């Protein structure tokens, strides 16, 4: 039997997965990869070496299972978050995507609903689908904000077990006012997840939902080391919540889900948080400069509290995407129809992006 005789259609795939597409940001080899919101600055050679030593030490004990509860790592993450949290209120997994999946496994599932405000992170509905949770999208306003009235009625009608609030939002860059988060937390019957993957990039004065945790026991704030920490390859995400939420996640997590290698890498990286986060300031300045430049050249650019900018508007965004790619600049075709998203890279990468964009659109 050769490959072409057998396909997905011949497998006993779940009905709700038929015809669906997997997450798939292109991984292409280009001069400027500005499509997955990675941090363009790698760890220094010294830090890479230190991580290597920690991994070598972990390797000597790989005959044993790792610390199932990742106690040291969680204590270090709690200290990093610095909101009076302790390790019982922090949980970690292989990327915040796994944390989000565990949340849906524990609080979503068949017969339950998860709600999000779109456009937003494409993985939220994909993870809902994978866990058999019905996805309820609610549109954002034209300014990519959440209309509290609309949230109110959608929550009243659907009674979602899980509500996702992404702040700063991907792909728009929009941060939510604390009042919006508080209001949703007040009316939602289940858990409210504030996905703060880009928290470290927010502008001065933009608050974090971490400050709401003591007064809102069903609130969950998720974070990641993939973006600001420049550690996307290590796969480490985490959350802060009431310790009862962390207890709930123990019921669905795989035993020993965080390898000894991952824990060693993350602990070492956290000990050098200052260095790894050193580029955040530069990236924020580069982002603000990019927004100004785009607007100055007649493009629309959404306000951003993240390490990317949503820009437009293009009657044929696919053509602009393709034109940029032909200049060696890979952006992301995501979000509302006339917009594209570009990750903030190095100054050289941003120069290449600006040149290519002017050339492709015929502007100057
Ligand atoms: C990048 C991103 C994540 C992070 O995913 P990891 O699994 O931690 O790499 C989570 N949420 C949003 C909104 C993101 O953009």
């Amino acid at each position: 039997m050769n490959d072409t005789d057998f396909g997905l259609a011949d497998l006993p795939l779940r009905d709700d997965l038929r015809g669906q597409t997997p997450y798939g940001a292109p991984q292409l080899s280009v001069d400027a990869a500005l499509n997955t919101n990675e941090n363009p600055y790698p760890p220094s050679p010294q830090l890479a070496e230190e991580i290597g030593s920690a991994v070598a030490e972990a390797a000597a004990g790989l005959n044993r299972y790792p610390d199932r509860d990742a106690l040291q790592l969680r204590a270090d993450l709690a200290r990093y978050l610095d909101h009076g949290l302790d390790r019982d209120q922090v949980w970690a997994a292989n990327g915040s995507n796994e944390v989000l999946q565990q949340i849906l496994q524990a609080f979503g599932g068949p017969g339950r609903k998860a709600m999000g405000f779109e456009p937003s992170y494409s993985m939220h509905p994909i993870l809902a689908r994978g866990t058999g949770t019905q996805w309820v999208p609610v549109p954002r306003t034209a300014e990519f904000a959440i209309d509290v009235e609309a949230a109110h009625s959608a929550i009243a009608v659907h009674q979602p077990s899980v509500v996702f609030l992404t702040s700063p939002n991907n792909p728009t860059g929009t941060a939510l006012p604390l009042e919006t988060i508080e209001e949703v937390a007040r009316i939602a019957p289940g858990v409210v997840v504030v996905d703060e993957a880009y928290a470290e990039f927010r502008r001065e004065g933009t608050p974090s939902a971490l400050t709401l945790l003591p007064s809102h026991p069903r609130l969950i704030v998720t974070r990641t080391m993939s973006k600001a920490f420049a550690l996307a390859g290590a796969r480490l995400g985490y959350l802060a919540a009431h310790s009862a939420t962390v207890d709930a996640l123990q019921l669905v997590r795989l035993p020993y889900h965080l390898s000894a290698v991952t824990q060693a890498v993350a602990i070492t990286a956290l000990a050098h948080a200052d260095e790894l986060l050193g580029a955040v300031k530069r990236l924020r300045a580069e982002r603000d400069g990019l927004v100004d430049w785009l607007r100055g050249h007649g493009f629309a650019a959404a306000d951003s509290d993240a390490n990317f900018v949503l820009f437009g508007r293009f009657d044929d965004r696919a053509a602009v995407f393709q034109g940029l790619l032909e200049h060696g600049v890979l952006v992301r075709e995501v979000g509302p129809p006339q917009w594209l998203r570009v990750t903030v890279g190095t100054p050289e990468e941003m120069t290449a992006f600006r040149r290519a964009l002017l050339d492709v659109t015929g502007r100057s």
Side-chain angles (χ1 to χ4, degrees):
M1 186 185 246
N2 68 41
D3 258 12
T4 52
D5 296 332
F6 192 84
L8 268 187
D10 304 305
L11 287 166
L13 190 64
R14 276 166 31 191
D15 289 338
D16 60 332
L17 295 179
R18 286 195 189 281
Q20 303 286 350
T21 43
Y23 174 87
Q27 291 193 302
L28 304 176
S29 175
V30 290
D31 290 342
L34 305 175
N35 71 327
T36 51
N37 302 339
E38 293 154 333
N39 190 315
Y41 300 105
S44 68
Q46 298 91 303
L47 179 50
E49 199 150 308
E50 210 165 312
I51 290 174
S53 307
V55 169
E57 206 171 304
L62 284 180
N63 55 313
R64 300 291 179 190
Y65 282 113
D67 175 4
R68 194 174 49 217
D69 299 316
L71 292 175
Q72 189 193 336
L73 174 59
R74 287 162 61 201
D76 291 352
L77 288 166
R79 197 168 316 115
Y80 165 71
L81 288 177
D82 190 28
H83 274 70
L85 295 160
D86 70 22
R87 74 178 184 207
D88 296 345
Q89 298 161 286
V90 171
W91 180 243
N94 297 281
S96 53
N97 272 286
E98 187 181 17
V99 172
L100 297 171
Q101 184 175 54
Q102 291 174 342
I103 291 169
L104 284 162
Q105 286 174 321
F107 302 111
R112 294 184 169 210
K113 295 178 181 177
M115 178 177 288
F117 298 86
E118 299 189 338
S120 192
Y121 187 42
S122 63
M123 279 309 297
H124 296 158
I126 292 176
L127 292 167
R129 186 176 75 209
T131 57
T133 314
Q134 187 186 333
W135 180 249
V136 181
V138 178
R140 287 178 175 246
T141 68
E143 290 75 42
F144 309 131
I146 291 180
D147 177 55
V148 175
E149 288 300 304
H152 243 281
S153 38
I155 289 169
V157 169
H158 292 284
Q159 297 291 307
S161 303
V162 181
V163 175
F164 288 100
L165 299 174
T166 315
S167 180
N169 188 40
N170 178 7
T172 64
T174 324
L176 292 173
L178 277 192
E179 300 76 63
T180 301
I181 297 170
E182 264 199 296
E183 185 59 11
V184 170
R186 196 178 66 76
I187 58 180
V191 297
V192 174
V193 180
V194 186
D195 184 337
E196 290 195 349
Y198 301 95
E200 288 89 350
F201 294 103
R202 62 197 200 275
R203 288 170 294 180
E204 215 62 55
T206 307
S208 162
L210 289 173
T211 57
L212 299 176
L213 285 176
S215 48
H216 295 82
R218 283 181 284 103
L219 193 66
I220 302 172
V221 179
T222 61
R223 296 276 188 102
T224 179
M225 295 184 79
S226 294
K227 313 286 166 51
F229 270 94
L231 222 59
R235 309 306 300 129
L236 200 289
Y238 56 105
L239 63 72
H242 194 283
S243 59
T245 298
V246 176
D247 291 343
L249 298 181
Q250 307 308 304
L251 301 171
V252 297
R253 58 113 177 89
L254 295 174
Y256 317 108
H257 67 298
L258 266 185
S259 81
V261 170
T262 302
Q263 293 186 43
V265 170
I267 288 167
T268 309
L270 276 169
H272 297 270
D274 287 352
E275 177 194 321
L276 284 167
L277 294 169
V280 166
K281 220 172 152 183
R282 263 186 289 165
L283 289 166
R284 287 159 76 195
E286 189 77 47
R287 168 201 65 206
D288 293 340
L290 175 64
V291 169
D292 290 345
W293 180 90
L294 284 162
R295 290 175 181 164
H297 285 76
F299 298 100
D303 285 333
S304 176
D305 280 283
N307 67 337
F308 54 82
V309 175
L310 192 73
F311 67 102
R313 301 166 159 239
F314 307 111
D315 291 335
D316 186 356
R317 74 168 177 181
V320 177
F321 171 88
Q322 192 55 36
L324 291 171
L325 188 54
E326 279 156 23
H327 285 71
V329 177
L330 178 61
V331 299
R332 191 84 186 272
E333 203 177 336
V334 64
Q338 294 184 308
W339 301 74
L340 293 167
R341 190 193 72 193
V342 61
T343 304
V344 177
T346 62
E348 296 73 31
E349 288 170 328
M350 297 328 286
T351 300
F353 166 75
R354 286 190 281 257
R355 277 211 195 106
L357 183 62
L358 293 181
D359 196 57
V360 168
T361 58
R363 293 191 204 183
S364 56

